[in-house]
Amino acid sequence: MTRDTIPGLGDMQDLISTEIERWLSSCERDPLAPVHRWGLSPRGKLLRPVLVLQSAATVSGPREQVLPRGQLLPVAVGIELAHVASLAHDDVIDGDAMRRGRASVPSRFGTAHAVLGGDALFFALVQSLAVCHQHGATAEAVVEAVRIVGDSGRDLSAGVAMELMLSGCGQGLPFGGASGTTAYVEMVRLKTAALMSGACQIGAVLVGGCPQEVAALGKFGEALGIAFQIGDDLLPYEPGPISAAKPVDSDLRNLRPALPLMLAVDSANPLDRTRLASGDMRWDEVRALVRDSGAVLRARELRDEYVGRALTALNALPATEHRRHLAALVDYALGGG
Amino acid sequence: MTRDTIPGLGDMQDLISTEIERWLSSCERDPLAPVHRWGLSPRGKLLRPVLVLQSAATVSGPREQVLPRGQLLPVAVGIELAHVASLAHDDVIDGDAMRRGRASVPSRFGTAHAVLGGDALFFALVQSLAVCHQHGATAEAVVEAVRIVGDSGRDLSAGVAMELMLSGCGQGLPFGGASGTTAYVEMVRLKTAALMSGACQIGAVLVGGCPQEVAALGKFGEALGIAFQIGDDLLPYEPGPISAAKPVDSDLRNLRPALPLMLAVDSANPLDRTRLASGDMRWDEVRALVRDSGAVLRARELRDEYVGRALTALNALPATEHRRHLAALVDYALGGG
């Protein structure tokens, strides 16, 4: 699914991209400006800001009550800035040299600037919430958005910390089996899905969505985020050439709990398990082992379960064209394109 | 000056400390809880949260309009959490193994947990702003506090980035002389004073202080912060034993632009200048060179100038006992005790 198959998506991404450029221009005198510019290029799908805007469109009532969509742009971009911040910090944590097909922020600017650049982008999200009020969102709605941002950010950090705990191919912690999958889903809910859920809720809250609508969009974003992360974990095992966007061996090198690997470790014989846990298996061997174990199929099943949950959550919302576009974003998000 | 010489200060610090303990208890199931507990012990002077509460007391009008001080405790603690976050990230950036007399967060838990723990604490500040509204602050006031927090956080990151630019004893960048001092003051205004100024403004805003009062307290906090950082830079050169709280050679090892060192480099002969810039001078030699150059006296003069500015800023506020307590906090903050 490309951006052309969802009406208005391309325009929305262009608007967001222009707003990012405006934001970058506003911080040209900031010593961190080159770091921010690097982290924000290339742009990617801009999934999280699109979720903010599309969620707002989905719940908005009579037109006169609704903020023009452009007035949500600063906070939509703020969510993308926080996402890029978390990527820079992740790359510090994982020691990853590549991101989106080129040098990662810490690889290009060093650890210090990657830490600081990320911190600044988190606070830029906070700034964008206040800007939203200047642009017409009610103070009550902004405060509720502040609560959601605070909670999502705490979840994000806790999720990455949980990932570190689960790293090491199950040495001393639940890894495979049912308890392993439960732990994986909880980790992914925190580290990936919380910000997507937050993006959907913020969009709804800021245009005055009712609590039921906000809750439904929160569930939608959470299930989408879990499905998205499983899809991301599956990428290195899909047929065809391996993507150059991120080193496929990063999860392996860091013994991270990626779902296919976790499931394969669970069903591997003791020798393979030991070799996997030691991290000294060649990548093509790992790939063959994971595929042959049936782990890829099982991971796809779990991904599709969460896709189903995301679509079901949307049933609580008015059946408009905007709701259909939101549903179409699930395919787009998981399309890897 | 000890905490006993300012009426009510000890009680205020005890209240803040109890609220920190309550906050720590609330995140016991968070995988980052041990990191947070370590970073928040020992407590230090709790200067920033005291500034929040004392600023609120200074501007508060008729009693019925004023939030009970206890209701500002979550955001006062939130400011301390963000401060502790910045210390953990600073220790990652500087590679410092010691902080407040024991292992720094990255030294105790590793870089990954120091980065994540800091991120979580920044978002805990965001959460505390929303809590404040539940406790009775108006939504409008909270949104204004959100703006101040966003701006202060951006300044903080930019200030540390500027410090990195100025590091290296002036090789290729303004270091000594008038332009060096101007750059130093700007760096310190961003990296240290912005959060103190923000703490004062937030306290005032949340209890409904008028714009003039908020501005005066912002100026007070900014001047206090600059004086405080110069005092901190002076600590290793003061008579008596060197404090064990932070390795005194950290600034030197990282060639950081601490004011006495900058001023001494400016007046040093070419040989000493080269040796300082190479970072291979022994600590006792550096100390003697800086003292003998007159740099300590000049740094003290600049510190005292900013103390004067802080006290002058208070003149715009009602001449109450609370204003006197705020003035007394300047001595307390700079007392090193």
Side-chain angles (χ1 to χ4, degrees):
Chain A
M1 171 136 344
T2 69
R3 71 182 221 163
D4 298 327
T5 56
I6 305 176
L9 177 58
D11 288 348
M12 214 183 263
Q13 287 169 321
D14 291 344
L15 274 174
I16 293 162
S17 204
T18 303
E19 178 68 15
I20 289 175
E21 201 51 51
R22 199 202 56 72
W23 183 83
L24 282 169
S25 303
S26 78
C27 59
E28 258 167 17
R29 291 170 55 89
D30 188 319
L32 290 166
V35 183
H36 298 328
R37 188 169 285 282
W38 188 270
L40 285 159
S41 314
R43 292 283 147 82
K45 288 179 176 178
L46 301 170
L47 183 58
R48 291 154 194 81
V50 166
L51 287 173
V52 173
L53 301 183
Q54 192 60 51
S55 296
T58 305
V59 304
S60 59
R63 208 154 262 293
E64 63 274 20
Q65 291 176 14
V66 179
L67 288 171
R69 190 184 284 171
Q71 298 191 350
L72 287 182
L73 268 175
V75 80
V77 164
I79 291 285
E80 181 68 9
L81 300 182
H83 170 59
V84 167
S86 75
L87 296 181
H89 284 190
D90 278 355
D91 288 339
V92 167
I93 290 165
D94 290 342
D96 283 341
M98 297 291 286
R99 166 74 66 181
R100 291 179 176 170
R102 62 181 196 154
S104 68
V105 172
S107 167
R108 175 75 179 73
F109 295 93
T111 297
H113 284 89
V115 171
L116 286 175
D119 292 352
L121 292 178
F122 285 140
F123 282 107
L125 167 56
V126 177
Q127 289 179 307
S128 76
L129 288 162
V131 168
C132 228
H133 179 51
Q134 291 164 20
H135 285 199
T138 68
E140 293 284 343
V142 171
V143 172
E144 181 59 10
V146 167
R147 187 192 63 73
I148 294 163
V149 162
D151 290 353
S152 303
R154 286 292 301 280
D155 283 351
L156 173 56
S157 314
V160 182
M162 192 173 169
E163 182 172 38
L164 294 176
M165 277 173 56
L166 292 175
S167 295
C169 287
Q171 301 182 46
L173 283 158
F175 200 80
S179 67
T181 301
T182 303
Y184 171 87
V185 170
E186 175 62 7
M187 170 196 84
V188 161
R189 185 184 72 76
L190 295 166
K191 94 166 175 160
T192 308
L195 192 61
M196 290 202 195
S197 175
C200 295
Q201 293 175 66
I202 287 167
V205 158
L206 289 174
V207 295
C210 71
Q212 290 77 8
E213 289 172 321
V214 175
L217 282 162
K219 276 189 195 172
F220 166 76
E222 182 172 292
L224 170 61
I226 294 170
F228 175 87
Q229 185 60 57
I230 299 175
D232 198 57
D233 283 4
L234 273 165
L235 275 184
Y237 305 98
E238 299 293 356
I242 295 173
S243 161
K246 204 194 162 191
V248 289
D249 62 346
S250 170
D251 287 340
L252 191 67
R253 174 167 42 81
N254 289 299
L255 301 175
R256 290 286 180 265
L259 186 61
L261 199 56
M262 286 179 76
L263 294 172
V265 166
D266 191 38
S267 61
N269 64 47
L271 178 65
D272 285 340
R273 195 185 163 105
T274 305
R275 289 181 65 209
L276 274 169
S278 72
D280 67 357
M281 212 170 197
R282 283 208 328 276
W283 168 241
D284 56 340
E285 289 180 289
V286 173
R287 204 181 187 199
L289 185 75
V290 170
R291 279 180 174 169
D292 295 347
S293 71
V296 169
L297 289 179
R298 277 182 288 151
R300 280 189 197 140
E301 279 169 19
L302 193 64
R303 177 196 63 193
D304 294 344
E305 184 190 324
Y306 279 95
V307 166
R309 289 193 196 192
L311 297 176
T312 302
L314 292 182
N315 291 338
L317 297 166
T320 61
E321 55 164 346
H322 294 301
R323 190 181 89 174
R324 282 195 303 279
H325 298 170
L326 208 47
L329 277 177
V330 177
D331 259 5
Y332 178 72
L334 272 72
Chain B
M1 172 138 341
T2 69
R3 70 182 221 163
D4 298 328
T5 55
I6 305 176
L9 177 60
D11 288 347
M12 214 183 262
Q13 288 168 320
D14 291 344
L15 274 174
I16 294 162
S17 205
T18 303
E19 178 68 14
I20 290 175
E21 201 52 51
R22 198 202 56 72
W23 184 82
L24 282 169
S25 303
S26 78
C27 58
E28 258 168 17
R29 291 170 54 90
D30 188 318
L32 291 165
V35 183
H36 298 329
R37 189 168 286 281
W38 187 270
L40 285 159
S41 315
R43 292 285 147 80
K45 289 179 175 178
L46 301 171
L47 183 59
R48 291 154 194 82
V50 165
L51 287 173
V52 173
L53 300 183
Q54 192 60 50
S55 296
T58 305
V59 304
S60 59
R63 208 155 262 293
E64 63 273 19
Q65 292 177 14
V66 179
L67 287 172
R69 191 184 283 173
Q71 299 192 351
L72 286 182
L73 269 176
V75 81
V77 164
I79 292 284
E80 181 67 10
L81 300 182
H83 171 59
V84 166
S86 75
L87 297 181
H89 285 189
D90 278 356
D91 288 339
V92 168
I93 291 165
D94 289 342
D96 283 341
M98 298 292 286
R99 165 74 66 181
R100 290 180 177 171
R102 61 179 196 157
S104 68
V105 172
S107 168
R108 175 74 178 75
F109 295 93
T111 297
H113 284 88
V115 171
L116 287 175
D119 291 352
L121 292 177
F122 285 140
F123 282 107
L125 167 56
V126 177
Q127 290 179 306
S128 76
L129 289 161
V131 168
C132 227
H133 179 49
Q134 292 165 21
H135 285 198
T138 69
E140 293 284 344
V142 171
V143 172
E144 181 58 10
V146 167
R147 187 191 64 72
I148 294 163
V149 162
D151 290 354
S152 302
R154 286 291 301 279
D155 283 350
L156 173 57
S157 314
V160 181
M162 192 173 169
E163 183 172 37
L164 294 176
M165 276 173 54
L166 292 175
S167 295
C169 288
Q171 302 184 47
L173 284 158
F175 201 80
S179 67
T181 302
T182 303
Y184 171 87
V185 170
E186 174 62 7
M187 170 197 84
V188 161
R189 185 184 74 74
L190 295 166
K191 94 166 175 160
T192 307
L195 192 61
M196 291 203 195
S197 175
C200 295
Q201 292 176 66
I202 286 167
V205 158
L206 289 174
V207 296
C210 71
Q212 290 76 9
E213 289 172 321
V214 174
L217 282 161
K219 277 188 195 171
F220 166 77
E222 183 172 292
L224 169 61
I226 294 169
F228 175 87
Q229 185 60 58
I230 299 175
D232 197 59
D233 283 4
L234 273 165
L235 275 184
Y237 306 97
E238 298 293 356
I242 296 173
S243 162
K246 203 194 163 192
V248 289
D249 62 345
S250 169
D251 287 341
L252 191 68
R253 174 167 42 81
N254 290 299
L255 300 174
R256 290 285 179 265
L259 186 62
L261 198 57
M262 286 178 75
L263 294 172
V265 166
D266 191 39
S267 61
N269 63 48
L271 178 64
D272 285 340
R273 195 185 163 104
T274 305
R275 288 182 64 210
L276 273 169
S278 71
D280 67 358
M281 212 172 198
R282 281 207 331 274
W283 168 241
D284 55 342
E285 289 181 288
V286 173
R287 205 182 186 198
L289 184 76
V290 170
R291 280 181 175 169
D292 295 348
S293 70
V296 169
L297 289 179
R298 278 182 288 151
R300 280 189 198 139
E301 279 169 19
L302 194 64
R303 178 197 61 194
D304 294 344
E305 183 190 324
Y306 280 95
V307 167
R309 289 192 196 193
L311 297 176
T312 302
L314 292 181
N315 290 338
L317 298 166
T320 61
E321 55 163 347
H322 294 301
R323 190 181 89 174
R324 283 195 300 280
H325 298 170
L326 208 47
L329 276 176
V330 177
D331 259 4
Y332 178 72
L334 272 71

